[in-house]
Amino acid sequence: MKKITVHTLQQMKQDGEKITSLTAYDYSFAHLLDRSGIELILVGDSLGMVMQGHDSTLPVTIEDMVYHSRCVSRGCERSLLAVDMPFMTYQDSPEHAIRNAGRLMQQGGAHMVKLEGGNVMAETIHFLVQRGLPVCGHLGLTPQSVHQMGGYRVQGRNKDQAAQLLNDAHILEQAGASIIVLEAIPAELAKSITGQINIPTIGIGAGKDCDGQVLVLQDMLGLYPQPSPRFSKNYMDNASGIDTAITRYIHEVKTGLFPGPEHSFPGIAKAKTTTT
Ligand code: KIV
């Protein structure tokens, strides 16, 4: 069994092989995803919504993330494990960020930390990467900024916003990020970003041309009791079990069947997302 590393993901981008990713928050699901062949498991701070029942990710603490990461890491033998840095654990200074990122890696078993934001986070990303902590960026709909965005809305729909996002992607790459999650942005913009940067992009509501795809597990298994975002798909429809649903998701991402146009946003998007 060959472990997935940041180099594997980089090679997959070069080879044009789609990267599959799902969130997980506990040992049992992590074990299932790992054995199913998912390359990247993300302990998302979406756990604030789907595990804890909050209406945003803002209440999630570093202790929550360390706890769930530790549970997931026990089920992760092959997959690369990325873990979200929660709200207010990295924004104020690189020194604060590295203390919390260090906890996620040392106590939580993370292989990589994820943080939200563009240009403004470049110094922090550089600081972490220079000291040996791999970073995943997150651009577009950044749920920790929900109050600033005025809701969970598609981002990058006008020319200025789109140019800003493209610029941010270049800046994160230069700062040393290993991969970038692109959330809820027009498919054409995600395609353009993916074509212009050398690190893999992982899309969620960002169209089929990203280097990989990620979904929130509870959304794609139809377990979350609140409305799921339009860009998600319930893989339990007509599935005989959870393992079949996961296998079908992997197959559809690898073959380019998911996401379809119905899970993506056009340049001038009319729809707005309901949850992340
Ligand atoms: O928190 C999360 O689960 C995420 C994914 C939706 C990318 O950030």
Side-chain angles (χ1 to χ4, degrees), residues 7 11 17 24 39 50 66 78 88 102 122 126 145 150 163 187 191 196 198 209 224 244 258 262 264 267-268:
H7 302 295
Q11 191 60 50
E17 185 187 344
E39 282 98 14
V50 301
V66 168
R78 173 180 173 271
M88 281 302 123
H126 184 72
S145 307
K191 181 178 180 180
Q196 290 191 45
N198 294 310
D209 292 303
Y224 188 50
T244 319
F258 179 81
E262 70 277 27
S264 309
I268 311 290

Side-chain angles (χ1 to χ4, degrees), residues 104-180:
L104 293 175
M105 295 186 73
Q106 203 166 36
Q107 299 167 19
H111 303 138
M112 176 186 286
V113 296
K114 175 162 89 58
L115 50 85
E116 298 182 4
N119 187 18
V120 71
M121 293 317 305
E123 186 193 348
T124 295
I125 293 174
H126 184 72
F127 190 83
L128 296 179
V129 172
Q130 286 293 304
R131 286 156 183 79
L133 290 77
V135 175
C136 170
H138 186 155
L139 296 174
L141 195 174
T142 45
Q144 292 174 16
S145 307
V146 59
H147 298 302
Q148 194 172 49
M149 293 182 302
Y152 297 106
R153 294 171 186 280
V154 180
Q155 302 295 302
R157 289 189 298 179
N158 66 48
K159 262 190 172 173
D160 288 348
Q161 269 193 2
Q164 179 68 56
L165 282 171
L166 179 57
N167 196 38
D168 281 343
H170 281 296
I171 289 172
L172 295 198
E173 178 180 19
Q174 278 158 21
S178 297
I179 53 176
I180 303 180

Side-chain angles (χ1 to χ4, degrees), residues 7 9 43 48 56 84 107 126 178 240 247 259:
H7 302 295
L9 303 187
V43 183
S56 79
D84 261 333
Q107 299 167 19
H126 184 72
S178 297
S240 56
T247 306

